[in-house]
Amino acid sequence: MADLAKRLSRIKPSPTIAVSQKARELKAAGRDVIGLGAGEPDFDTPDNIKEAAIAAIRRGETKYTAVDGTPELKAAISEKFKRDNGLDYSPAQITVGTGGKQVLYNALMATLDPGDEVIIPAPFWVSYPDMTLLAEGEPVAVPCSQNNHFKLKAEDLEKAITAKTKWVIMNSPSNPTGAAYDQDEMKAVTDVLKEHPHVWVMTDDMYEHLVYDGFTFVTPAQVEPSLYERTLTVNGVSKAYCMTGWRIGYAGGPAELIKAMSKIQSQSTSNPSSVSQAAAIEALGGPQDFIAEHNAVFRERRDMVVAALNTCPGLHCHKPEGAFYVYPSCAGAIGKTTPDGKKIQSDGEFVTYLLESEGVAAVQGEAFGLSPYFRISYATSTEALQEACARIKRACEALSD
Ligand SMILES: Cc1ncc(COP(=O)(O)O)c(C=O)c1O
């Protein structure tokens, strides 16, 4: 086999995808496994969106499109930014890619030189540090403690900024914690950023619409308009519109940056699927009422899971504002011994114990940069969640000192 590139040794495969894969394999081998690792809604794509895709196929929209999005989709995105976020982005300030993931990757590839630093509040979505490393940048993780509900403190951000800082990545509501910044919390962060004109803001608003209990979502360029010129506002249709497989993500930002990102895309994947782009126009511009219906179900599940986990000895679970994840602490299980005599020494060993003893697949906090915790996705049926929580409780009760 040919020698592999050195850059490959800087990164690891996505641990969340690895957990889903392991759960699938165990299931295929006949084990009764409940997967709580999924980063996607269990709801189907709404019918009107599917119909829009079918109509696009029938109209023959099956050819290459403009590299970073059709004019029609860019118009729908421009309208969305105005309607939901009060942000003005013209078509030249908008790019569309194969998922939010590609858009984030394009931005880092287009801007990072070796040694450039990217501040990433931890716990973080697993791909931010690895994408930064692939682009030859240096990820700088800033721990955000449970005491501050996993949100970035202004003073910690201030301390992390150096002359080499290129980007700060914000993600609200967060994967993996579900934490979302309200207006005041976001303002505290943007007040720091305002004072550092060389630092750019990459905000990953993928879970914008998944917020509960009347929470109002805000995004940095809206809270602090002076940051607009150096903010990339990233979003997508995967989560709120149940379209993970369609692979459409987008961003609004300064035209020069958007053009540079398009250049990367033009030499890698070209345009995102033409059919998916037509579906995304319907998603963004069509009826939005199913989002509230889904959110009512997600909120109920969140409340159920948080309450159930807080009855498990050794666990403590904070109730987050949004997304479809909870991030319980398993500090009280560390140092305990399993029925077959193994001492649990890390959150990785704790989730392995859950999988092996009770067939519950969750993801270790270590993967997200803050231990000892684990992530549970509640984007699965209420019945499966109830059963999973009962199994987790049984596993915790079986641990001894
Ligand atoms: C925080 C966050 N950002 C971005 C993405 C990427 O989403 P997609 O590429 O499906 O648009 C995900 C998906 O899990 C995510 O959780």
Side-chain angles (χ1 to χ4, degrees), residues 167-206:
W167 289 102
V168 171
I169 302 184
M170 294 297 291
N171 173 220
S172 166
S174 147
N175 176 3
T177 65
Y181 292 66
D182 66 20
Q183 168 81 24
D184 291 345
E185 291 163 339
M186 189 63 87
K187 183 84 172 64
V189 169
T190 58
D191 278 352
V192 173
L193 295 169
K194 219 168 54 172
E195 303 305 319
H196 298 276
H198 70 289
V199 177
W200 284 57
V201 188
M202 192 176 297
T203 177
D204 178 346
D205 298 351
M206 203 57 74

Side-chain angles (χ1 to χ4, degrees), residues 68-99 103 208-209 233-237 241 247-253 258 272 276-286 288:
D68 71 347
T70 62
E72 294 78 11
L73 178 52
K74 287 191 176 189
I77 291 167
S78 175
E79 182 56 37
K80 177 262 173 267
F81 276 130
K82 187 78 197 150
R83 177 187 72 211
D84 296 343
N85 312 115
L87 294 173
D88 284 309
Y89 288 119
S90 68
Q93 293 176 286
I94 290 172
T95 184
V96 186
T98 301
V103 172
E208 165 178 16
H209 294 298
T233 307
V234 182
N235 212 318
V237 295
Y241 300 95
R247 312 305 305 129
I248 295 291
Y250 57 87
I258 294 293
S276 297
Q277 290 190 69
I281 295 172
E282 174 64 18
L284 296 175
Q288 306 286 306

Side-chain angles (χ1 to χ4, degrees), residues 39 99-101 104 125 128 171 175 204 206-207 238-239 247:
K101 203 169 204 171
L104 293 160
W125 182 47
Y128 302 140
N171 173 220
N175 176 3
D204 178 346
M206 203 57 74
Y207 294 90
S238 285
K239 313 289 175 170
R247 312 305 305 129

Side-chain angles (χ1 to χ4, degrees), residues 36-288:
L36 303 179
E40 59 184 349
D42 52 319
F43 303 112
D44 198 7
T45 306
D47 278 342
N48 61 309
I49 299 174
K50 290 183 184 170
E51 291 303 331
I54 293 164
I57 293 174
R58 295 234 159 86
R59 281 196 306 272
E61 290 180 23
T62 54
K63 307 278 198 264
Y64 292 131
T65 71
V67 164
D68 71 347
T70 62
E72 294 78 11
L73 178 52
K74 287 191 176 189
I77 291 167
S78 175
E79 182 56 37
K80 177 262 173 267
F81 276 130
K82 187 78 197 150
R83 177 187 72 211
D84 296 343
N85 312 115
L87 294 173
D88 284 309
Y89 288 119
S90 68
Q93 293 176 286
I94 290 172
T95 184
V96 186
T98 301
K101 203 169 204 171
Q102 187 185 24
V103 172
L104 293 160
Y105 185 71
N106 287 344
L108 293 170
M109 287 299 281
T111 55
L112 293 181
D113 281 319
D116 284 347
E117 293 173 2
V118 178
I119 293 178
I120 305 174
F124 42 69
W125 182 47
V126 293
S127 294
Y128 302 140
D130 288 273
M131 284 184 181
T132 300
L133 289 167
L134 263 183
E136 299 187 65
E138 300 298 331
V140 177
V142 179
C144 303
S145 76
Q146 182 168 359
N147 293 341
N148 203 41
H149 300 162
F150 304 113
K151 293 175 203 176
L152 182 61
K153 280 194 180 151
E155 62 262 35
D156 292 338
L157 172 60
E158 183 71 58
K159 272 189 243 149
I161 294 173
T162 72
K164 289 183 174 169
T165 307
K166 189 81 155 238
W167 289 102
V168 171
I169 302 184
M170 294 297 291
N171 173 220
S172 166
S174 147
N175 176 3
T177 65
Y181 292 66
D182 66 20
Q183 168 81 24
D184 291 345
E185 291 163 339
M186 189 63 87
K187 183 84 172 64
V189 169
T190 58
D191 278 352
V192 173
L193 295 169
K194 219 168 54 172
E195 303 305 319
H196 298 276
H198 70 289
V199 177
W200 284 57
V201 188
M202 192 176 297
T203 177
D204 178 346
D205 298 351
M206 203 57 74
Y207 294 90
E208 165 178 16
H209 294 298
L210 304 184
V211 287
Y212 315 116
D213 307 322
F215 184 89
T216 303
F217 168 87
V218 290
T219 189
Q222 170 192 30
V223 169
E224 180 48 65
S226 71
L227 294 178
Y228 174 82
E229 294 297 336
R230 49 186 167 104
T231 297
L232 184 70
T233 307
V234 182
N235 212 318
V237 295
S238 285
K239 313 289 175 170
Y241 300 95
C242 313
M243 293 177 70
T244 45
W246 299 74
R247 312 305 305 129
I248 295 291
Y250 57 87
E256 205 186 335
L257 171 63
I258 294 293
K259 202 167 150 198
M261 290 165 63
S262 170
K263 190 171 172 185
I264 303 266
Q265 193 160 298
S266 74
Q267 294 296 14
S268 49
T269 59
S270 289
N271 64 274
S273 150
S274 58
V275 175
S276 297
Q277 290 190 69
I281 295 172
E282 174 64 18
L284 296 175
Q288 306 286 306

